[in-house]
Amino acid sequence: MLRLFALGLAALTVLVVPASARDKLTIYTYDSFISDWGPGPKIKASFEAECNCELEWVAVADAVATLNRVRLEGSNTSADILLGIDTSLAAEASATGLFEDHGIDTQNVSLPVTWTDKTFVPYDYGHFAIIYDSEQIETPPASLQALVNGDPDQKIVIQDPRTSSPGLGLLLWMKAVYGNKAGEAWTRLSKRVLTVTPGWSEAYGMFTKGEAPMVLSYTTSPAYHMVAENTDRYRAAAFPEGHYMQIEVAGMLKSSRNKPLARQFLTFMTGPGFQNHIPTNNWMWPAGKISEPLPDAFDKLVKPAKSLLLPAEEVRANRKAWIDEWLKATTK
Amino acid sequence: MLATRSAGFNPAIIAAAVALGLIILAVATPMLALVAIAPSMPSLGADYLAFVWAITKFTLLQAGLSTLLSVAAAIPLARALARQASFPGRSIILRLLALPLALPALVVVLGIIEVWGRQGWVSTLVQGIGLGGPLNIYGLTGILIAHVFFNMALSARLMIASLEQIPPENWRLAAQLSFTSRHVFRHIEWPVIRSVLPGIASLVFMLCIASFAIVLVLGGGPKATTLEVAIYQSLRFDFDPPRAVLLALLQILLCAGLFVLGGRMATDIAVMSSVGKPARRPDQSASRFTDVLTIVAGLGFIALPMLAIVVSGVTAPFAAIVSQAVFWRALATSLILALTAASLALAMAWSMLAAQRTIMRRRTPSRTASALVSGLQASGSLILVAPPIVIGAGWFVTLHTAGLAGSAAPAIVAIVNALMALPFVLRILRPAVVGQAQVHDRLCASLGISGWQRWRLIDLPVLARSLALAFAFAAALSIGDLGAAALFGSADFVTLPLLLLQKMGSYRSFEAAGIALLLAGFCLGLIWLAEQLKPGAQAQ
């Protein structure tokens, strides 16, 4: 039994021992980014082709967890770059004091909003949207207000803002549109909420199983179904009040021992070698230069008339209070 | 002889002390590490305390009700399955009862929704025959359905294991006395069930207290917030490690307190061992009809969500799944983890039980020895209510500080999984081992058989069935575990449940459904394998 245990440990250890020799750049990110079907492996290949270095991806479960890992490790983290947190966490990340200004030329960056942050560089973006099943719903809600006030028997599944990034996104969306009246709006919306899941996967899984005809996701979600499954059954509802944005960013750590290489990567990140892999691997809009046309499916996606984004510092200062407001309004 | 024994410590006691130390170390180290990195004390205002009080009440309510229902429903099911020893497909049913443990909560939740949801099978049936609108299980009902699904199966399996150890002599006697089913229950079955009930109920209670995804998804919203959710929240967006540790301690103390209360109701383990051949139970034919009904109903409840998982899994693109190298890597990692964790859990449980046996053999156990026994019993369960996110984050800090984050992580995952399996293993082995001890101790002493010889010649053959079952549960638990494995996630350390979650998280729900099915299949394979490794099976 002991021998079996020892053997097991030995085998497990073999699985995690890295092999390295060249200059190495370590990037922490969320795990779906570097899965076989994510953009990570392709980006690694194209960056290594021009940097004469080794890019090591270290994946943690999700974006919040990557930031927390760096917080747990503090200044002796082995990460050079953290990639994957979004704008609602950016101020919190800056406040840890662990990040250094990127200092790169961001002329390639293209976003629906102007980007001025000195610490983080954006690499893709998306808009939150209510995705509906066109086989269950003929006329989707035409606005956020219609969603909030609609038929309570027509259900939606959302995510918990205490545990999930899209959940936090909807909280901010409601805040951006309703301001001081967000609490009342939540009370009304909660009548339509079938359930609140801890993460995106549970909610989207319930939605595709047909349990609810609407789910909180991204405007880009239908692109996946069109490209990979050849169906336009799942569509995004366009809201004239605007759609809240999620911009995903990367930043360089102060403790990095390889800052020139880290800067080289951040610059590379805004160009085609990185950006070409974003649309059909990460299912988000590229935030930099691409050299290949976007897939046709992206043309058919809802393009929000207005992009909503609250200032990062305001989000940081008020997140807890807004979550309390949400809790009070939805547990009435 | 008594003097020499108390003077020096027996190897079994030393082994047990090591196991106990390991458990305390595994739980305390991460908590201390998290407190140590804290820049400040946790922020706990009056509002927050009121919130904690409210969620504590809900946590206890849902866990208490879940336990009550699971155990109450398990008793008739266990009796029926134990009684109908020749029920067609019985051995397969028994294996299925261990399966829910191996399935990640997310998979089970979707299976339950497929059966009980608004658009589920039951809803469709109810609407089809005109009995009203769609079912709405979201709320306490949904939480209870899911918890009973997991834990009725588990409780029934553990009860059957002890019912099967009733000596055939009892059945012959019952036949001679023309016992009815009621008599059998009162005089034979209930004493056995009662002796294992506190152990089973406490296990189920802990599993329900620590339940997280099920409570949020099926609970219908933030009204169904448990301590585990608050702990998770503290360590994610709020990033307040000391608060997470405080809440984790509250959860552990809550369970510990309830066990102290519950411990007074515990009875001694019934002595059960026999050398005779299995006897036919006198009440088998008379209760056949109601037993079949009970089995069909109980099994239906457990099997339907599993069937839903199979139905969504069979159409999965298996060719695509198995053509990915990452699938095979994940499978290898999961199998090695499961086998390592299960072996380790069995070895630890054995050393703890051997120590207990040694101590109980003494006529006047020393104070230290008694304290060790109760410590062993309580701490064996500790890890189940220690939130995986706290354990994972804390261990991460510890290993990182020691510069071992990459290399030691798999070992920690295996150890944490083994510790999580320990409460199950102890509950399966303890009645058997203690019963054996009471029967065989004197015989072994008079024949001078001890140590390895005794283990090989006496214990192993008689305990083979319990060991196989314990191994199966431990392997199932760690092959399906996500908590420990997810926290050390790196590109090179992917387990099957982790891969499944990654697929779910990137729109690939068809592939995820296929992986869930394969996961269940491998788990059944492990259970079957464990059953084949019974060197002394013919002795029974």
Side-chain angles (χ1 to χ4, degrees):
Chain A
M1 206 174 270
L2 209 67
R3 199 167 50 184
L4 183 66
F5 175 59
L7 258 174
L9 282 189
L12 285 172
T13 317
V14 169
L15 293 174
V16 292
V17 171
S20 68
R22 284 171 296 172
D23 236 3
K24 197 165 82 175
L25 186 71
T26 303
I27 306 181
Y28 286 8
T29 186
Y30 47 86
D31 64 10
S32 67
F33 196 85
I34 60 158
S35 59
D36 284 2
W37 56 89
K42 294 152 196 121
I43 287 166
K44 176 179 158 79
S46 66
F47 186 61
E48 283 178 353
E50 62 178 62
C51 73
N52 187 30
C53 70
E54 189 199 336
L55 194 168
E56 187 197 24
W57 292 115
V58 174
V60 190
D62 55 39
V64 191
T66 56
L67 175 61
N68 286 344
R69 169 154 294 192
V70 174
R71 280 163 151 172
L72 289 172
E73 291 177 337
S75 55
N76 61 350
T77 174
S78 47
D80 296 298
I81 288 175
L82 183 70
L83 183 148
I85 58 169
D86 65 23
T87 28
S88 55
L89 268 179
E92 218 126 339
S94 293
T96 62
L98 294 167
F99 291 88
E100 181 157 317
D101 286 355
H102 56 73
I104 63 156
D105 181 0
T106 54
Q107 57 159 348
N108 281 343
V109 169
S110 79
L111 284 171
V113 291
T114 350
W115 189 257
T116 52
D117 194 291
K118 287 192 168 55
T119 313
F120 295 103
V121 183
Y123 66 87
D124 69 13
Y125 71 94
H127 289 91
F128 293 110
I130 305 306
I131 304 296
Y132 67 97
D133 179 354
S134 61
E135 289 179 11
Q136 285 194 58
I137 290 188
E138 276 172 26
T139 42
S143 63
L144 187 63
Q145 198 180 354
L147 176 78
V148 166
N149 298 317
D151 176 9
D153 285 334
Q154 204 173 52
K155 296 291 184 189
I156 180 169
V157 180
I158 62 170
Q159 298 86 358
D160 197 316
R162 296 172 294 176
T163 52
S164 125
S165 297
L168 184 56
L170 180 60
L171 186 89
L172 301 178
W173 191 358
M174 293 284 278
K175 200 74 208 174
V177 171
Y178 285 97
N180 294 337
K181 301 220 166 86
E184 293 161 39
W186 269 114
T187 305
R188 272 176 284 147
L189 177 60
S190 67
K191 295 188 179 73
R192 300 190 80 174
V193 172
L194 182 65
T195 194
V196 182
T197 65
W200 179 89
S201 302
E202 296 92 359
Y204 211 78
M206 287 176 76
F207 168 69
T208 50
K209 269 203 182 300
E211 181 67 2
M214 294 184 285
V215 69
L216 171 69
S217 189
Y218 300 90
T219 53
T220 41
S221 298
Y224 176 83
H225 299 287
M226 284 190 261
V227 172
E229 294 167 359
N230 212 11
T231 172
D232 66 348
R233 174 177 172 182
Y234 304 113
R235 298 171 196 168
F239 290 171
E241 296 98 331
H243 288 242
Y244 200 82
M245 276 187 92
Q246 182 180 41
I247 304 173
E248 295 191 293
V249 302
M252 177 173 74
L253 286 132
K254 269 187 190 148
S255 53
S256 166
R257 289 197 200 105
N258 218 336
K259 286 177 188 160
L261 188 59
R263 278 193 202 97
Q264 189 187 344
F265 181 85
L266 291 176
T267 312
F268 165 84
M269 193 176 80
T270 63
F274 184 106
Q275 294 290 326
N276 282 353
H277 303 296
I278 289 298
T280 55
N281 291 294
N282 215 32
W283 301 101
M284 294 284 270
W285 290 92
K289 245 194 193 129
I290 48 172
S291 61
E292 293 163 0
L294 284 168
D296 292 344
F298 275 71
D299 289 339
K300 297 182 193 146
L301 298 179
V302 161
K303 311 240 176 4
K306 201 171 148 193
S307 291
L308 304 173
L309 190 66
L310 294 170
E313 199 42 55
E314 192 182 331
V315 174
R316 188 176 94 90
N318 294 297
R319 186 178 49 84
K320 281 187 190 176
W322 291 344
I323 284 182
D324 284 343
E325 178 186 54
W326 167 79
L327 265 179
K328 281 210 180 81
T330 57
T331 49
K332 259 181 196 159
Chain B
M1 185 170 163
L2 202 70
T4 49
R5 272 220 191 132
S6 338
F9 268 110
N10 177 300
I13 297 182
I14 296 169
V18 170
L20 179 63
L22 200 59
I23 295 168
I24 294 172
L25 201 71
V27 179
T29 312
M31 292 197 173
L32 290 173
L34 281 185
V35 173
I37 59 156
S40 60
M41 287 301 289
S43 47
L44 301 166
D47 278 2
Y48 192 75
L49 291 179
F51 169 72
V52 170
W53 171 234
I55 60 173
T56 304
K57 280 191 291 186
F58 180 77
T59 307
L60 292 176
L61 173 75
Q62 66 84 9
L65 281 177
S66 300
T67 309
L68 206 65
L69 286 175
S70 306
V71 173
I75 293 175
L77 181 63
R79 285 183 73 205
L81 276 166
R83 194 150 47 196
Q84 304 303 330
S86 51
F87 191 79
R90 183 175 178 271
S91 57
I92 297 172
I93 296 173
L94 292 188
R95 274 176 218 145
L96 282 180
L97 293 181
L99 201 55
L101 263 188
L103 299 169
L106 172 58
V107 172
V108 170
V109 163
L110 291 178
I112 282 173
I113 288 172
E114 186 91 14
V115 177
W116 295 100
R118 285 169 78 237
Q119 311 285 333
W121 300 345
V122 178
S123 243
T124 313
L125 185 76
V126 168
Q127 282 174 299
I129 54 178
L131 282 178
L135 298 185
N136 188 352
I137 57 162
Y138 299 92
L140 194 56
T141 321
I143 298 175
L144 293 179
I145 289 177
H147 283 167
V148 172
F149 166 81
F150 271 108
N151 299 306
M152 174 176 72
L154 166 73
S155 313
R157 188 63 191 90
L158 292 175
M159 285 178 198
I160 291 167
S162 52
L163 285 174
E164 277 176 342
Q165 290 188 359
I166 295 173
E169 289 85 347
N170 290 16
W171 299 123
R172 291 202 195 94
L173 195 64
Q176 280 162 12
L177 297 172
S178 314
F179 268 17
T180 63
S181 163
R182 237 183 68 207
H183 290 129
V184 167
F185 180 66
R186 217 171 110 191
H187 298 291
I188 302 180
E189 292 170 325
W190 177 244
V192 172
I193 293 178
R194 172 139 169 56
S195 72
V196 292
L197 210 53
I200 295 174
S202 60
L203 181 64
V204 171
F205 187 79
M206 289 187 293
L207 291 171
C208 294
I209 273 219
S211 166
F212 171 61
I214 288 173
V215 172
L216 273 183
V217 174
L218 296 174
K223 271 177 208 157
T225 294
T226 56
L227 275 173
E228 193 84 8
V229 175
I231 293 166
Y232 193 73
Q233 183 190 0
S234 303
L235 259 188
R236 277 178 68 81
F237 286 130
D238 293 356
F239 198 71
D240 189 347
R243 194 175 84 199
V245 171
L246 266 183
L247 292 172
L249 280 176
L250 173 66
Q251 183 158 304
I252 292 172
L253 288 178
L254 219 54
C255 287
L258 285 166
F259 293 158
V260 171
L261 285 179
R264 298 193 179 162
M265 293 186 293
T267 56
D268 274 340
I269 284 172
V271 180
M272 293 173 300
S273 192
S274 165
V275 282
K277 284 197 172 137
R280 194 183 146 79
R281 293 182 52 160
D283 53 347
Q284 198 179 66
S285 343
S287 24
R288 186 152 181 96
F289 181 68
T290 47
D291 282 352
V292 171
L293 276 187
T294 313
I295 296 173
V296 168
L299 199 67
F301 185 76
I302 297 167
L304 279 177
M306 289 199 211
L307 188 64
I309 294 166
V310 174
V311 169
S312 20
V314 284
T315 51
F318 285 105
I321 295 172
V322 297
S323 67
Q324 296 160 5
V326 62
F327 170 77
W328 297 103
R329 273 209 322 268
L331 176 63
T333 310
S334 280
L335 287 180
I336 294 170
L337 254 183
L339 291 174
T340 315
S343 310
L344 190 58
L346 249 63
M348 288 203 297
W350 182 261
S351 73
M352 291 165 97
L353 291 169
Q356 197 177 351
R357 199 160 68 172
T358 310
I359 291 162
M360 282 171 38
R361 215 181 284 142
R362 295 177 182 166
R363 245 171 260 151
T364 49
S366 72
R367 279 193 142 194
T368 354
S370 311
L372 184 64
V373 169
S374 47
L376 282 176
Q377 277 168 11
S379 59
S381 314
L382 250 185
I383 192 116
L384 277 186
V385 280
I389 189 167
V390 171
I391 300 293
W395 266 112
F396 179 78
V397 173
T398 313
L399 294 180
H400 179 75
T401 314
L404 292 168
S407 51
I412 296 289
V413 172
I415 291 172
V416 171
N417 275 337
L419 291 175
M420 283 166 61
L422 196 57
F424 295 83
V425 173
L426 280 175
R427 276 161 180 79
I428 295 166
L429 289 184
R430 193 165 161 261
V433 170
V434 175
Q436 284 308 317
Q438 285 164 342
V439 172
H440 292 296
D441 271 359
R442 207 163 289 171
L443 183 72
C444 290
S446 67
L447 293 175
I449 304 176
S450 65
W452 169 247
Q453 286 298 329
R454 167 167 176 167
W455 156 249
R456 194 174 62 88
L457 294 172
I458 310 286
D459 293 333
L460 189 61
V462 197
L463 294 175
R465 202 196 285 193
S466 305
L467 285 169
L469 181 65
F471 190 90
F473 265 98
L477 187 87
S478 61
I479 205 172
D481 176 60
L482 196 69
L487 289 154
F488 289 102
S490 99
D492 302 313
F493 190 70
V494 180
T495 60
L496 270 189
L498 213 54
L499 180 67
L500 186 157
L501 224 69
Q502 290 178 4
K503 298 271 182 190
M504 279 296 295
S506 49
Y507 297 105
R508 286 162 175 77
S509 50
F510 296 120
E511 282 181 55
I515 295 174
L517 194 57
L518 292 172
L519 184 68
F522 286 118
C523 183
L524 276 182
L526 276 181
I527 296 174
W528 178 82
L529 200 69
E531 284 168 2
Q532 307 312 303
L533 300 172
K534 291 193 289 189
Q538 67 277 13
Q540 295 195 331

